[in-house]
C-alpha cells in the first residue's frame, strides 16, 4: 500500500434509473432517488435525491424535476455529475474530512451497455474526481451481493429487475456465460399502473402514488 492510498476512499456506486446506492466501508451509506430538480431559467441544480423526489408533481413552471439516467444509462451528463458529486459529499465519513479525499470507484452498469455509454460513465466519474474507476456488470454484482459462489463450474441464473432495465444473465466460472438486457422494468410497471387507474377507474394519479402502489401491492416478499 502506497502513502497516497491512505488519502484514497473506496466506494461502490449502483447508479440506477430509479435509485442510487453508494456503499462505503461495507455499508450502504446513500440510498436515494436518482432525481434532480433544476431551475429552468438559470439551469442551476436546486435539489437532489429525496428532496427533489418530494418536489415531483408539485413544482411551478420555473422548476423541472428530471431523472439523469434513462434505461440504466446516463441521459443527462451535467445532472448526473452533479448528482453523484452531491451524494459523495453526503457520505458521513467523507463529510467530516477537512480536505476531500481522492476516490476509487466501482460502478455497476447494465450488461447491454454500449461502448459510448461506458465512456459516459467513465467521464462522469472523472468529473467527480475519481482517481480510479472500475465497471462491473449488474448481474455479476447482484450474484456477489447475494453470496453466490461465482467461481464454481455451475450455471446460476440472475434476474435483476431495476428501474429502467431488467438484467438476465447466467454466471459460471467467474464470468457471464450469456446475458440479455431488457429495457422494460420498474418504470414500465409504474406507467402501467397509472394507465390502468385512468382507464379502469377514471382516476389520474402521479408517479409517486403509482410507485407506492407498486411497492405495497406487488412486492414478492412481505416487509420484515
Amino acid at each position: 500500500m502506497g502513502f497516497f492510498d491512505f488519502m484514497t476512499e473506496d466506494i461502490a456506486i449502483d447508479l440506477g434509473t430509479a435509485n442510487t446506492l453508494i456503499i462505503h466501508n461495507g455499508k450502504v451509506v446513500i440510498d436515494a432517488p436518482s432525481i434532480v430538480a433544476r431551475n429552468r431559467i438559470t439551469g442551476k441544480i436546486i435539489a437532489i435525491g429525496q428532496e427533489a423526489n418530494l418536489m415531483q408533481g408539485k413544482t411551478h413552471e420555473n422548476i423541472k424535476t428530471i431523472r439523469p439516467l434513462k434505461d440504466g444509462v446516463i441521459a443527462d451528463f451535467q445532472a448526473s455529475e452533479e448528482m453523484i458529486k452531491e451524494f459523495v459529499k453526503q457520505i458521513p465519513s467523507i463529510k467530516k474530512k477537512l480536505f476531500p479525499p481522492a476516490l476509487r470507484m466501482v460502478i455497476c452498469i447494465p450488461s447491454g451497455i454500449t461502448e459510448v455509454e461506458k465512456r459516459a460513465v467513465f467521464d462522469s466519474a472523472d468529473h467527480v474526481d475519481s482517481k480510479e474507476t472500475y465497471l462491473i456488470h449488474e448481474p455479476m454484482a447482484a450474484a456477489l451481493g447475494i453470496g453466490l459462489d461465482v467461481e464454481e463450474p455451475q450455471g446460476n441464473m440472475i434476474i435483476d429487475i431495476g428501474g429502467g432495465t431488467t438484467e438476465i444473465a447466467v454466471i459460471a466460472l467467474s464470468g457471464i456465460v450469456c446475458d440479455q438486457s431488457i429495457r422494460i422494468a420498474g418504470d414500465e410497471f409504474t406507467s402501467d399502473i397509472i394507465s390502468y387507474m385512468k382507464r379502469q377507474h377514471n382516476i389520474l394519479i402521479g408517479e409517486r402514488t403509482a410507485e407506492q402502489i407498486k411497492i405495497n401491492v406487488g412486492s414478492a416478499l412481505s416487509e420484515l
Side-chain angles (χ1 to χ4, degrees):
M1 181 181 289
F3 172 76
F4 289 104
D5 286 341
F6 290 105
M7 303 171 64
T8 303
E9 295 284 350
D10 294 330
I11 62 174
I13 302 179
D14 181 3
L15 202 57
T17 306
N19 293 283
T20 293
L21 282 79
I22 298 182
I23 293 87
H24 182 246
N25 291 334
K27 296 180 180 178
V28 176
V29 290
I30 299 293
D31 182 357
S34 303
I35 299 177
V36 168
R38 174 186 283 157
N39 187 306
R40 290 177 186 267
I41 299 173
T42 64
K44 184 179 179 182
I45 303 295
I46 58 176
I48 289 171
Q50 188 58 43
E51 186 180 352
N53 188 41
L54 292 173
M55 294 181 180
Q56 279 199 107
K58 303 171 186 174
T59 59
H60 53 75
E61 61 180 11
N62 291 338
I63 297 176
K64 181 182 180 182
T65 56
I66 56 174
R67 286 188 172 184
L69 291 102
K70 182 177 175 60
D71 296 333
V73 295
I74 294 172
D76 187 315
F77 298 102
Q78 181 191 0
S80 65
E81 289 166 13
E82 292 289 340
M83 184 179 73
I84 296 169
K85 191 178 295 185
E86 186 58 34
F87 283 155
V88 168
K89 286 180 184 177
Q90 292 176 10
I91 297 174
S93 59
I94 291 180
K95 191 189 295 186
K96 294 176 183 176
K97 293 183 180 293
L98 185 60
F99 299 103
L103 299 173
R104 191 157 41 211
M105 295 183 180
V106 174
I107 302 177
C108 291
I109 57 171
S111 56
I113 195 171
T114 66
E115 289 300 319
V116 173
E117 290 165 342
K118 280 184 185 178
R119 175 49 52 192
V121 176
F122 275 117
D123 288 345
S124 290
D126 286 343
H127 291 162
V128 294
D129 300 325
S130 174
K131 178 185 175 186
E132 298 175 43
T133 305
Y134 303 93
L135 305 183
I136 180 172
H137 288 126
E138 289 172 1
M140 181 62 76
L144 294 169
I146 62 175
L148 279 180
D149 184 359
V150 297
E151 297 181 352
E152 63 179 346
Q154 175 180 329
N156 290 290
M157 178 178 281
I158 299 294
I159 301 176
D160 180 4
I161 303 175
T165 59
T166 296
E167 303 292 323
I168 306 169
V170 175
I171 293 172
L173 296 171
S174 301
I176 295 177
V177 179
C178 59
D179 64 87
Q180 186 169 7
S181 181
I182 303 171
R183 300 202 172 188
I184 298 174
D187 287 347
E188 194 80 15
F189 303 157
T190 301
S191 296
D192 287 345
I193 291 170
I194 293 172
S195 298
Y196 176 84
M197 294 297 289
K198 183 179 180 181
R199 186 176 63 253
Q200 295 293 328
H201 302 286
N202 202 28
I203 298 174
L204 184 61
I205 61 174
E207 280 190 26
R208 287 186 61 206
T209 302
E211 177 84 7
Q212 199 58 50
I213 292 172
K214 180 179 70 178
I215 292 169
N216 291 341
V217 177
S219 296
L221 298 174
S222 59
E223 292 186 12
L224 299 177

